[in-house]
Amino acid sequence: MANKNDSNDGVVRRSMLAAGGATTLGALVGGVGAANGSTVTRQEEGGGSADSSRDVTVRQESGNAVYWVLPGERRLSPQVFGTSDAPRRGSDLLESRIEQAKGLPEPLDEAIPQLLQDLPPLVAAPEAAREPIEDGESAGIAQERFTEPTLYSDEAEVTSGAFEITYGDRQPYDLPGKPGDTSDVVDLEAQFTDPAGNEYELEHDHVVQPPIPGYETGGGVLSGGWLHGITGTGSPLFPQAYTYGASWRVGNVHVNGEVATEDGFRVIHFMTTQTVRDERYRMAVDEELPLASDETIAGRIHHTHGVVLPIRPTRGPSTIRCRPRWNCRTARPSRSSTRCGNRRNSSRGRSTTGSSPVKRRERRTARKRRAERPTSS
């Protein structure tokens, strides 16, 4: 429905979307999300003028299901990543972004290149971590997988949570200056549990414009645009998705009532997008989108995602290095990320889409052994 009211600031347009999809929030241990009963409200001011602003509010009441995503492999879109013979968005792009980052002002000229070396999936999927998908596997159009564990996997456990976030889009594009120099704002309240029953709460401090080469975050809050995939903003491992609202900000994480980030803020990323998880909780690749509502995990057109990245801003963003080579595992127990689904799916518990990580490791070991066998002339 839509209402028009007179206002001193001009025409105010409000629209309500009936949304009961998935929302993903992030914590130091990963990302969390909410689903059943969530709603999205959008308010625009300024009558479409250049200085117009937009607020997008998404909320989910307590008692609804959340999907806590476990680190795992990711199917790769040929459209985004090419093929093994003609790869795209791999090591060459990563090196290019690192070189671009070296031209940033101090101290970003050292911090951002190190960040990209520690977390390549922020911009690329290096070929060294790609593997062909064997014939007979249920992989759809994908021909390769990214084997390093990330938060874009198909594995999850159901927990619970509630949240409300308002994306305050005041600035249409990123501006030069410090990452925190932006007029965009976010109002966030988020509480959720992990699979072990620990209780999390996110404490928002301020919005930032991530100084990552190639990113365009709309001033740190974006509304009514596209992210991920081939856009250059956000990890290409997530499919290109229409985004109702997205934000990048810093703040603290509380676990069981105690601050878990005593050494400094973490970067918290939220976004409300078209639904990209199918009814089996498998994340679609770009060629499989859009999903029909009855094919999604939530049965709705959109869901929200959230993640607390292992990135600690100081005078300029610096990283908490990921110990096992480069992946998105974090320093707290369970080292996982979360996403939310629909209450009607909460009885599923752990997602069982695809083959298990154990079976995949066994297949890789068997292939390696076959390759090492001596061959007769």
Side-chain angles (χ1 to χ4, degrees):
M1 62 182 176
N3 298 318
K4 290 187 177 181
N5 300 319
D6 291 332
S7 165
N8 293 332
D9 297 325
V11 177
V12 177
R13 297 188 298 278
R14 296 184 178 89
S15 62
M16 176 73 76
L17 302 178
T23 303
T24 306
L25 317 175
L28 186 59
V29 295
V32 78
N36 189 39
S38 64
T39 58
V40 174
T41 305
R42 181 170 54 202
Q43 174 178 304
E44 298 177 67
E45 299 182 359
S49 61
D51 60 349
S52 63
S53 63
R54 173 184 294 177
D55 285 351
V56 178
T57 298
V58 188
R59 65 176 62 89
Q60 173 174 298
E61 303 297 334
S62 61
N64 290 298
V66 165
Y67 277 82
W68 182 277
V69 175
L70 306 173
E73 298 177 343
R74 168 66 170 142
R75 294 182 303 140
L76 296 181
S77 157
Q79 174 181 307
V80 177
F81 297 100
T83 64
S84 57
D85 295 330
R88 302 173 188 163
R89 292 176 177 81
S91 299
D92 288 347
L93 176 60
L94 175 63
E95 291 303 318
S96 174
R97 293 291 185 247
I98 290 174
E99 287 302 313
Q100 286 180 265
K102 292 178 180 178
L104 293 170
E106 294 183 354
L108 300 176
D109 59 338
E110 293 185 2
I112 299 303
Q114 186 63 59
L115 168 63
L116 296 179
Q117 290 175 9
D118 289 343
L119 294 175
L122 288 173
V123 296
E127 290 86 342
R130 301 186 190 186
E131 177 184 90
I133 294 176
E134 296 179 347
D135 294 338
E137 291 189 54
S138 178
I141 196 171
Q143 301 174 28
E144 294 182 292
R145 61 165 62 92
F146 189 71
T147 59
E148 287 294 323
T150 71
L151 54 85
Y152 308 108
S153 80
D154 299 333
E155 306 291 334
E157 292 188 9
V158 176
T159 62
S160 62
F163 73 94
E164 180 169 332
I165 181 172
T166 296
Y167 306 98
D169 191 357
R170 306 287 181 268
Q171 183 174 308
Y173 41 76
D174 294 337
L175 294 174
K178 297 179 180 178
D181 292 344
T182 175
S183 57
D184 284 348
V185 295
V186 166
D187 187 11
L188 169 68
E189 293 184 8
Q191 304 85 33
F192 51 94
T193 61
D194 67 13
N198 296 301
E199 298 180 351
Y200 291 75
E201 185 171 356
L202 301 183
E203 176 189 349
H204 164 71
D205 191 82
H206 64 275
V207 173
V208 294
Q209 306 168 103
I212 298 175
Y215 276 34
E216 175 50 68
T217 66
V221 172
L222 180 148
S223 62
W226 297 84
L227 290 178
H228 295 281
I230 63 173
T231 66
T233 304
S235 173
L237 291 171
F238 192 95
Q240 180 173 321
Y242 180 78
T243 303
Y244 298 91
S247 66
W248 292 260
R249 56 201 177 285
V250 298
N252 278 319
V253 179
H254 296 257
V255 182
N256 296 325
E258 298 183 1
V259 177
T261 47
E262 298 91 344
D263 58 337
F265 290 148
R266 296 300 187 274
V267 174
I268 303 171
H269 173 46
F270 264 73
M271 61 180 182
T272 302
T273 73
Q274 69 183 96
T275 305
V276 300
R277 295 278 187 178
D278 68 16
E279 67 275 8
R280 294 177 293 168
Y281 201 69
R282 188 169 70 166
M283 183 180 285
V285 296
D286 294 62
E287 293 88 335
E288 296 169 343
L289 292 177
L291 298 174
S293 295
D294 58 0
E295 296 175 345
T296 67
I297 190 67
R300 301 298 180 102
I301 63 172
H302 68 77
H303 58 174
T304 304
H305 323 262
V307 62
V308 177
L309 296 167
I311 303 172
R312 178 170 54 86
T314 52
R315 288 186 305 166
S318 61
T319 65
I320 296 176
R321 298 186 182 181
C322 302
R323 289 189 290 269
R325 290 188 287 176
W326 26 269
N327 59 53
C328 294
R329 297 181 185 179
T330 54
R332 289 283 170 180
S334 83
R335 295 191 286 186
S336 56
S337 65
T338 61
R339 297 189 184 272
C340 65
N342 194 319
R343 171 62 98 181
R344 64 189 176 93
N345 298 303
S346 62
S347 62
R348 298 184 183 188
R350 180 185 293 272
S351 169
T352 57
T353 63
S355 58
S356 70
V358 173
K359 290 182 179 179
R360 288 195 290 266
R361 285 195 296 271
E362 290 174 348
R363 287 198 299 269
R364 287 198 293 272
T365 300
R367 286 198 299 273
K368 183 178 180 181
R369 288 174 179 171
R370 288 196 298 268
E372 292 174 348
R373 290 175 184 171
T375 57
S376 59
S377 58

